[in-house]
RNA sequence: GGCGGGUUGGCGGAGAGGUUACGCAGCGGAUUGCAAAUCCGUGAAGACCGGUUCGAUUCCGGUACCCGCCUCCA
């Protein structure tokens, strides 16, 4: 069996991964607070975990992995959005969840096995808070329930901080009812116009961190294998989760392995609204950047390094994917072909790809291994390469690869000019057949001027692509001397 | 102030204490009516200073610069 090695934030080392139960490997990823479209940075942990889950399913079996990713649908940001727009919280969260699904689907990220919503686990949260109070780890004060960080000696270990150091450098105003400035809220009172639930401490709502502790325990148990998220969540979110979960379940270990991805930048700078380089996944998709391209760029940088999104990378990524898919189309790939190959027992990803992924999810290494493959052989010969692409999640639908590769006529897009371009190319094909190369080149030059990129294929065929500066008006000049 | 990450060839980006990463661009060649694509080959690196070692870009220490977190942003 392939040994998977992962860098564990908890121990700051790369360690061999050993599941608690190989028949049920359990993972939890902190999902979004649903008040707005997912931005590009939100996609990174999703894709990292998507690859991780694919790897785990490959190694331990498809039915032996349980992947949970939550929706936090109770939060003051949501309340603020509702107040600002006059819409109900329910409308906003429902809409945002649907958007999230669309956008992550477009990136080829498989849906988790469970997508619990915080509002469906209020009972479990209240119960956990009661346990924490009973265990002496939390206290009630002025309608709030707070976690007592001094009651948990390990507090700060995950993020490598000490409570005293943090207090020394703290820049936050401290609520007067806190015993310690670092104590954090488990439950807080709600005004009449705020969402709230009845509790032993009056009508209120949960604090930010408790939902993940409650939902992971409910769906995965108090001890599970891998917990992840962006490095910015390491503190305070994950630190607080550890405190809550370990104190509520002193007998359990909570998450064995903590995985944190580094942040995303855009053209070398932090993505922020003030710099004007902030964009969502949807913005990119609407701009015509395919989800596979976004995925490719994301996976081109190791998850533990800052990743820089640039136009150049997106273009390079698109080029590679086009060439790869083009080669597979020529080798006869389709959904039914892949079925046949799978039944034929030749559907095995390349060892080099699996080994790279097993080595702390070295996705750039896996992609490099794909570059080493010589394409152009038969479908069977290409199977390990194709299976590797699938393992990396680049192929949501084998029947669609032709359209990505932009092969032939009518197989792509709906642009009304396609038929006209195709007709001209048929003329050119005829001109080439009779060796009238002057005319053939003329047609190609005209098409180029209109922004159409033409490629000849062996045997006198061709493919074309409408470039970004395609101008149908120029087509009207075609054929004139 | 505290904590963490980074610094590799023109650009992007990995692994490994000693042997070619890989991709893009460049150069040479094959192929092609010409292009494009593809294929083969090829030059180019490890921020700075010290230490450990037979040998370090890879380990250790220090310096510089960049970035992030400590403010319910993945």
């Amino acid at each position: 069996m392939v040994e998977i090695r992962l860098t564990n934030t908890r121990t700051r080392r790369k360690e061999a991964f050993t599941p608690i139960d190989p028949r049920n490997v359990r993972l939890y990823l902190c999902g979004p607070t649903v008040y707005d479209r997912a931005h590009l940075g939100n996609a990174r942990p999703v894709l990292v975990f998507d690859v991780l889950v694919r790897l785990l399913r490959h190694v331990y079996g498809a039915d032996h992995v349980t992947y949970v990713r939550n929706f936090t649908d109770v939060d003051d940001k949501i309340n603020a959005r509702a107040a600002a727009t006059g819409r109900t919280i329910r409308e906003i969260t429902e809409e945002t969840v649907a958007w999230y699904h669309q956008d992550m689907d477009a990136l080829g990220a498989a849906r988790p096995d469970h997508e619990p919503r915080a509002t469906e686990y209020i009972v479990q949260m209240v119960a956990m808070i009661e346990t924490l109070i009973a265990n002496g780890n939390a206290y009630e004060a002025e309608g709030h329930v707070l976690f007592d960080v001094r009651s948990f000696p390990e507090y700060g270990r995950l993020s490598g901080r000490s409570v005293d150091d943090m207090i020394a450098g703290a820049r936050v105003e401290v609520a007067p009812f806190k015993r310690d400035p670092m104590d954090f809220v488990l439950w807080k009172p709600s005004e009449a116009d705020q969402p709230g639930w009845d509790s032993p401490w009056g009508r209120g709502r949960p604090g930010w961190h408790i939902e993940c502790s409650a939902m992971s325990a409910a769906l995965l148990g108090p001890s599970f294998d891998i917990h992840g998220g962006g490095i910015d969540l390491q503190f305070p979110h994950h630190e607080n989760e550890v405190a809550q979960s370990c104190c509520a379940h002193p007998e359990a270990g909570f998450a064995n392995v903590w995985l944190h991805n580094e942040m995303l930048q855009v053209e070398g700078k932090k993505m922020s609204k003030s710099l004007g380089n902030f964009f969502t996944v949807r913005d990119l998709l609407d701009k015509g950047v395919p989800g596979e391209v976004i995925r490719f760029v994301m996976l081109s940088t190791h998850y533990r390094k800052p990743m820089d999104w640039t136009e150049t990378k997106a273009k390079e990524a698109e080029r590679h994917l086009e060439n790869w898919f083009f080669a597979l189309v020529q080798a006869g790939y389709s959904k039914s072909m892949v079925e046949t190959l799978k039944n034929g027992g030749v559907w095995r990803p390349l060892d080099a790809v699996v080994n790279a992924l097993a080595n702390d999810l070295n996705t750039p290494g896996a992609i490099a291994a794909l570059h080493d493959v010589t394409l152009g052989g038969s479908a069977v010969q290409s199977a390990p390469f194709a299976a590797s692409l699938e393992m990396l999640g680049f192929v949501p639908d084998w029947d669609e690869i032709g359209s990505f590769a932009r092969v032939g006529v009518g197989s792509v897009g709906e642009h009304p000019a396609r038929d006209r371009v195709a007709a001209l190319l048929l003329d050119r094909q005829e001109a080439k057949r009779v060796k009238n190369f002057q005319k053939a080149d003329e047609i190609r030059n005209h098409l180029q001027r209109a922004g159409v990129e033409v490629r000849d294929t062996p045997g006198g065929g061709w493919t074309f692509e409408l470039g970004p500066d395609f101008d149908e008006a120029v087509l009207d000049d075609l054929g004139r001397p």
Side-chain angles (χ1 to χ4, degrees), chain A residues 326 329 399-415 418-419 422 462-464:
Chain A
F326 185 65
V329 167
D399 279 342
E400 295 294 318
I401 59 171
S403 78
F404 193 100
R406 296 177 172 154
V407 178
V409 204
S411 64
V412 242
E414 317 277 304
H415 200 287
R418 285 201 166 267
D419 289 346
W462 37 263
T463 73
F464 69 90

Side-chain angles (χ1 to χ4, degrees), chain A residues 446-469:
Chain A
H446 277 299
L447 284 168
Q448 257 162 11
R449 242 171 282 142
V452 181
E453 202 180 296
V454 179
R455 286 192 207 173
D456 290 350
T457 57
W462 37 263
T463 73
F464 69 90
E465 174 180 334
L466 301 183
D469 50 354

Side-chain angles (χ1 to χ4, degrees), chain A residues 168-190:
Chain A
R171 289 183 258 163
V172 261
E173 295 230 2
V174 178
F177 50 79
K178 285 188 179 180
R179 285 185 196 165
D180 187 284
M182 295 313 295
D183 288 353
F184 58 91
V185 172
L186 298 172
W187 189 264
K188 54 189 167 186
S190 290

Side-chain angles (χ1 to χ4, degrees), chain A residues 95-169:
Chain A
E95 177 183 69
T96 311
V97 167
W99 282 343
Y100 191 81
H101 277 148
Q102 287 166 11
D103 297 347
M104 296 306 124
D105 288 354
L107 301 182
R111 299 268 179 104
D113 300 294
H114 302 280
E115 296 186 283
R117 301 185 188 202
T119 51
E120 290 165 4
Y121 287 81
I122 300 288
V123 172
Q124 288 86 340
M125 292 186 223
V126 169
M128 186 175 265
I129 295 169
E130 287 184 298
T131 304
L132 289 171
I133 293 175
N135 290 355
N137 298 111
Y139 57 94
E140 189 182 354
E142 299 187 21
H144 294 69
V145 180
L146 292 136
F147 187 92
D148 178 1
V149 296
R150 298 286 181 183
S151 74
F152 182 56
E154 301 277 282
Y155 191 79
R157 188 162 157 229
L158 176 69
S159 53
R161 298 150 203 253
S162 81
V163 174
D164 293 321
D165 286 348
M166 282 189 285
I167 291 168

